[in-house]
Amino acid sequence: MLKKIIIITIILNFFTSYVNAYIGPGVGGGAIMAILGFIVALLGVIIGLFWFPIKRLLKKNKKEKQKK
């Protein structure tokens, strides 16, 4: 089954035709903003899940050392 799909894909790539279409500049800007938004959201998750608990733990340890 996989061989048939690969063969059909290769054959169809040889019989391509030109398409006259216009994609405006807004599509590229939107794609860049979507990618940047995803990266910022990912960084926010990393900071929220890892940095703040570690920071809280460090402050707690620092306060305990000052009490001693």
Side-chain angles (χ1 to χ4, degrees):
M1 179 68 176
L2 184 61
K3 274 187 171 182
K4 288 181 182 180
I5 293 173
I6 292 172
I7 291 171
I8 290 171
T9 304
I10 291 171
I11 290 172
L12 289 176
N13 280 328
F14 283 117
F15 296 107
T16 59
S17 62
Y18 291 104
V19 177
N20 295 323
Y22 174 72
I23 298 176
V27 175
I32 291 170
M33 288 299 124
I35 291 169
L36 288 176
F38 178 76
I39 291 170
V40 169
L42 190 62
L43 289 174
V45 168
I46 290 171
I47 289 171
L49 289 177
F50 296 110
W51 174 245
F52 288 124
I54 291 171
K55 187 177 173 182
R56 192 177 319 138
L57 182 66
L58 291 174
K59 281 185 180 181
K60 183 179 175 183
N61 287 341
K62 186 177 180 181
K63 286 181 183 178
E64 289 176 0
K65 286 181 181 179
Q66 288 178 352
K67 287 182 182 179
K68 291 180 181 181

